[in-house]
Amino acid sequence: MRKMAISLYHHIILLSCFVLLQSGVHVESKVPAIIVFGDSTVDAGNNNPLPTIAKSNFAPYGRDLEGGKATGRFSNGRLATDFISEAFGNKPLVPAYLDSSYGIEDFATGVTFASAGTGFDNKTADVAQVLPLWKEVEYFKEYKNRLTTLLGRKAATETIRDAVYIISMGTNDIVINYFALPDRSLHFTLEEYENFLVGIANNFIVELYQLGARKISLGGLPPIGCLPIIRTLAGGHACIEEFNTLARGFDLKLKSLASRLRGELRGSKVVFSNIYYKAMDVIQKPSLYGFENVKQGCCGSGRFELSYLCHRDNPLTCKDANKYAFWDAIHPSEKLHSIVGKNMMKTSLAEFV
């Protein structure tokens, strides 16, 4: 009878957590901070001070944020990581580490080191003169020291240990550095290059672990064959299945890596966050999610505009971005970011609650 009561209690607790997640209610958790690494999908403005064209700190980017401020997020509003931070009970915007309007007090509960245009491969970052992954790690080390000064060694160590780490990159490596430029494709087969990237991801996660991280989410690729710019370059309106097949295959390698590292890194919780299938479900069943257009972005014609080509005076820019899955020719709208973030909370990130 006692065993039955304990079992019933566990089931009630699990069901309660599930209901809270489904309802979108903020839950109390042992997550003091969200710490983010990656590319433009999670960059909140680190490229603003850099000499690069990969920027979005101008209108109409950010037009649906409070005050309509273009922070450097490549969207009309918030990113998936912002929604995730809020769902964990933290602030609704994860600030960029290089944004001078924030200080270490702001970063103590969440920070992003992400840089638009970067990837696992250093050469990918070189293309747009943005932060390579190793530099994001160097800034994280600097952040740890600043956090220790702010909180004291014990509290800072606990924050680093209990924080959730979000990693989102890889699309630029494959789409730009491998297929659009000649160097990597001349020296690697696609299979070899994917394995090369997985090796970098492995070393990066191990280094994060050695620096104190324990709760780590390794994000997969989206259905890159359905990005508006890929559709445009292919000369049609249909998704390019070859690219989607590639994304699914690379995701399997990342998933395997996350599983292996979870077993090897004692005390770690390394998870793989699959964003492909939720995004594809949106693309295949847009009306179910309230979207009217999943083929073009809201900005301009939506076929090729991004960064400086997405400007405030373009008369074609849509009135309501919530009807569009994409904001520009590559990046999700705030609404799609919200859908992806909530799905991650219900799936891969649920055990961190």
Side-chain angles (χ1 to χ4, degrees):
M1 181 66 72
R2 178 177 172 79
K3 288 183 178 179
M4 183 182 296
I6 291 173
S7 177
L8 180 61
Y9 174 77
H10 286 165
H11 278 83
I12 290 171
I13 293 297
L14 289 172
L15 180 60
S16 298
C17 289
F18 178 76
V19 169
L20 285 171
L21 287 170
Q22 290 288 334
S23 65
V25 175
H26 296 175
V27 294
E28 292 297 325
S29 66
K30 295 181 180 179
V31 177
I34 305 297
I35 299 177
V36 186
F37 298 88
D39 56 24
S40 58
T41 56
V42 289
D43 183 1
N46 283 311
N47 279 14
N48 294 354
L50 304 182
T52 176
I53 61 170
K55 294 185 181 183
S56 60
N57 56 335
F58 46 83
Y61 285 100
R63 73 178 193 185
D64 294 316
L65 286 172
E66 185 176 353
K69 182 182 178 182
T71 59
R73 287 170 171 79
F74 280 75
S75 184
N76 59 301
R78 294 201 285 163
L79 309 177
T81 40
D82 295 319
F83 289 104
I84 289 168
S85 175
E86 187 174 37
F88 275 122
N90 291 320
K91 56 196 171 194
L93 292 174
V94 179
Y97 188 65
L98 298 186
D99 189 333
S100 59
S101 63
Y102 294 98
I104 187 59
E105 296 84 0
D106 304 296
F107 301 141
T109 55
V111 61
T112 177
F113 301 98
S115 178
T118 200
F120 290 110
D121 187 348
N122 287 337
K123 283 186 174 291
T124 303
D126 291 343
V127 174
Q129 294 182 296
V130 297
L131 302 180
L133 182 55
W134 67 264
K135 188 63 176 178
E136 292 188 27
V137 175
E138 287 302 305
Y139 279 132
F140 173 61
K141 293 176 182 177
E142 178 182 277
Y143 164 77
K144 277 190 62 181
N145 291 334
R146 294 175 65 190
L147 194 66
T148 300
T149 300
L150 175 71
L151 303 178
R153 186 168 300 280
K154 183 176 183 295
T157 299
E158 290 173 351
T159 294
I160 295 299
R161 180 196 65 206
D162 296 331
V164 167
Y165 295 77
I166 307 289
I167 303 167
S168 177
M169 67 184 86
T171 298
N172 294 323
D173 293 308
I174 291 173
V175 174
I176 297 175
N177 204 15
Y178 191 83
F179 284 105
L181 299 173
D183 184 61
R184 288 310 196 193
S185 58
L186 287 174
H187 295 89
F188 294 92
T189 65
L190 180 57
E191 179 82 9
E192 289 171 341
Y193 189 59
E194 287 179 347
N195 292 337
F196 172 68
L197 296 177
V198 170
I200 296 173
N202 176 91
N203 295 340
F204 169 49
I205 293 173
V206 169
E207 185 170 12
L208 282 184
Y209 175 82
Q210 292 170 342
L211 290 169
R214 291 298 180 267
K215 302 173 182 177
I216 303 170
S217 164
L218 176 61
L221 299 185
I224 54 180
C226 296
L227 298 178
I229 197 166
I230 297 297
R231 294 182 192 243
T232 299
L233 292 174
H237 298 293
C239 294
I240 310 305
E241 182 54 32
E242 290 84 354
F243 275 109
N244 286 344
T245 299
L246 186 161
R248 292 193 301 270
F250 188 62
D251 280 357
L252 288 176
K253 293 184 178 184
L254 293 179
K255 182 179 181 180
S256 177
L257 171 65
S259 178
R260 178 173 58 78
L261 288 177
R262 186 180 178 115
E264 292 177 358
L265 302 178
R266 188 174 181 180
S268 73
K269 291 183 179 179
V270 183
V271 300
F272 173 69
S273 291
N274 188 307
I275 63 171
Y276 180 96
Y277 290 106
K278 176 52 71 172
M280 182 56 83
D281 196 54
V282 168
I283 290 166
Q284 292 177 335
K285 299 176 243 181
S287 60
L288 187 65
Y289 297 88
F291 291 115
E292 295 180 3
N293 193 322
V294 296
K295 294 182 179 180
Q296 289 93 36
C298 167
C299 190
S301 69
R303 297 181 184 277
F304 60 86
E305 293 94 340
L306 67 147
S307 190
Y308 286 106
L309 294 178
C310 175
H311 56 85
R312 69 190 310 163
D313 299 322
N314 194 313
L316 299 176
T317 297
C318 76
K319 302 295 185 186
D320 185 0
N322 283 332
K323 295 178 180 178
Y324 285 70
F326 294 94
W327 164 247
D328 61 22
I330 290 181
H331 303 100
S333 64
E334 179 183 62
K335 184 174 178 180
L336 182 54
H337 271 295
S338 173
I339 291 169
V340 169
K342 288 176 181 176
N343 186 65
M344 288 174 65
M345 286 298 297
K346 295 174 184 176
T347 54
S348 58
L349 304 183
E351 71 172 290
F352 299 151
V353 173

